[in-house]
Amino acid sequence: MRAELKTEMIEAVAFDMDGLMFETESIYWQSADELLKRRGFQYTDELAEQVMGRPPEYCFKLFIERFGLTESWRALQQESESIFLDILSRGFAVQPGLFELLEFLQARQIPCCVCTSSAQQVASVALREKDVLRYMSFVLTSDDIVQGKPAPEAYLKASSQFSVPPSHMLVLEDSVAGCRASRSAGSPCVMLKASHNAKVDFSGAEMVVERLDDPRLLAFIRP
């Protein structure tokens, strides 16, 4: 935990989705790789790190610039989402401790939301499949945001909808872009370390955990 943090009473919690709630970063990798293979190119670790946590427009415009593609970013998004949803339908896992954390928050009447860079269509399928929506007050996707992460818009909008100060809304993230968005909004950020982000810079986080039900995280939310 950052030594300078002044712990506030946490009144709400905002969850990122991909990589944080669900083990879906590998599915994004597969869908991006397939999208680029169809055009004679290869997805790489370096490219994956650049787009992690970013909204679709940023990601697909980067592909267009990097590989000289002629399609619009919207066309690439639609094709990628079709690939993604097909792979998603074969099954995916939740991150360890997710439901334990959600039950902990629900028992203490701490409201939750999802703030994801994924499109609404993708998010709704994943959240319904794992029956997570019943825990959430609302969901914000890339379709609801003008400036995606690392801009703070999503988290500022979430704290406003909760009617709590940003400093009283805990953000749970797994990407540098998401952590920067949280910090810019003025919200404390706890990051989940997993296989897909082992090389990520976690220095901006208040705390780094490897399970969402880590006792330190639970104590930070409600001592």
Side-chain angles (χ1 to χ4, degrees), residues 12-17 20-21 102 105 110-116 127 132 135-140 154-155 157-159 161-162 169-172:
V13 178
F15 287 75
D16 177 47
M17 189 182 76
L20 186 283
M21 301 177 76
L102 291 172
L105 295 169
I110 300 174
C112 306
C113 75
V114 174
C115 292
T116 176
L127 293 166
V132 170
Y135 295 99
M136 299 298 163
S137 298
F138 55 88
V139 176
L140 297 177
Y155 291 124
K157 189 170 184 177
S159 65
Q161 288 192 214
F162 280 130
M169 184 184 77
L170 177 65
V171 170
L172 301 177

Side-chain angles (χ1 to χ4, degrees), residues 13 25 29 36 41 65 80 83 98 105 111 121 130 133 138 140 149 153 155 157 169 175 185 202 208 220 223:
V13 178
E25 285 298 335
W29 174 282
L36 291 177
F41 301 106
E65 180 182 354
S80 178
I83 299 168
L98 172 63
L105 295 169
Q121 180 185 12
K130 296 304 181 183
L133 286 173
F138 55 88
L140 297 177
K149 303 171 187 177
E153 182 183 347
Y155 291 124
K157 189 170 184 177
M169 184 184 77
S175 70
F202 296 102
V208 179
F220 178 67

Side-chain angles (χ1 to χ4, degrees), residues 75-149:
L76 293 174
Q77 178 189 19
Q78 291 172 2
E79 184 177 345
S80 178
E81 285 181 7
S82 178
I83 299 168
F84 183 90
L85 291 171
D86 178 62
I87 301 172
L88 193 76
S89 69
R90 304 170 200 171
F92 62 99
V94 300
Q95 291 287 16
L98 172 63
F99 285 106
E100 289 83 354
L101 175 57
L102 291 172
E103 290 291 340
F104 174 88
L105 295 169
Q106 186 177 73
R108 287 153 183 80
Q109 299 183 320
I110 300 174
C112 306
C113 75
V114 174
C115 292
T116 176
S117 294
S118 289
Q120 190 276 333
Q121 180 185 12
V122 170
S124 61
V125 170
L127 293 166
R128 285 199 308 267
E129 175 64 26
K130 296 304 181 183
D131 194 26
V132 170
L133 286 173
R134 60 193 172 96
Y135 295 99
M136 299 298 163
S137 298
F138 55 88
V139 176
L140 297 177
T141 70
S142 62
D143 298 286
D144 304 303
I145 302 300
V146 176
Q147 293 185 306
K149 303 171 187 177

